[in-house]
Amino acid sequence: MKINQITLTDLRRMNGKEGLILQGCGGETQEWVDGINKMLTDKGILLDNTKLEHVSVFQNDGVICILYPFEDVHLDIGKLAMWRLQSYTAFAGTWLSDYVDNKLGGFESEQTDDIDEGQAMKL
């Protein structure tokens, strides 16, 4: 399992992806990852022996946060949504898309190098 350090700009570039962000995750990151994976497995949220892997750590306003992406994982999203709400006071969990929209001003728009000449502005 690899733990990446990412920036707020990296988060804003994750348009189209989803995951769980836990806020206030001080201490050893690997302990957080192992503990959350065990907790979600025990509660029947993580299925088929999958784990939330390829996690990323970032800091915003002095708060250490961990992003658990939903890539390559089988989970019961309904149970996860309930767990997130029930555990909010402990983990301040939020979805990646909500975090970026509410704390970072939204995702960066995709920029392309292709310019439609019919749309190009003449100076």
Side-chain angles (χ1 to χ4, degrees):
M1 175 179 305
K2 183 174 177 166
I3 299 172
N4 300 305
Q5 293 284 332
I6 60 172
T7 66
L8 300 180
T9 301
D10 294 332
L11 281 175
R12 293 192 66 225
R13 291 180 178 153
M14 293 183 181
N15 198 5
K17 297 186 180 190
E18 195 56 87
L20 175 69
I21 292 179
L22 300 184
Q23 303 173 69
C25 301
E28 180 59 41
T29 304
Q30 190 63 54
E31 288 179 20
W32 277 95
V33 173
D34 294 343
I36 294 298
N37 274 303
K38 181 177 182 340
M39 187 180 302
L40 297 180
T41 298
D42 291 349
K43 295 200 175 288
I45 296 169
L46 285 171
L47 307 172
D48 303 325
N49 294 316
T50 59
K51 293 187 183 307
L52 295 166
E53 298 183 304
H54 310 293
V55 301
S56 298
V57 176
F58 64 94
Q59 192 167 346
N60 188 14
D61 291 330
V63 177
I64 297 171
C65 303
I66 301 175
L67 166 63
Y68 296 83
F70 293 160
E71 297 170 349
D72 302 322
V73 66
H74 297 119
L75 52 85
D76 184 322
I77 195 70
K79 284 184 181 179
L80 179 61
M82 291 300 296
W83 176 86
R84 185 184 65 83
L85 292 172
Q86 293 168 344
S87 65
Y88 187 81
T89 55
F91 302 118
T94 187
W95 306 127
L96 168 62
S97 55
D98 289 341
Y99 188 90
V100 172
D101 283 345
N102 295 320
K103 297 225 178 209
L104 304 179
F107 290 100
E108 287 185 0
S109 60
E110 299 258 343
Q111 294 187 7
T112 64
D113 293 333
D114 300 329
I115 297 175
D116 183 350
E117 293 194 25
Q119 298 288 331
M121 197 179 211
K122 294 184 180 180
L123 299 176

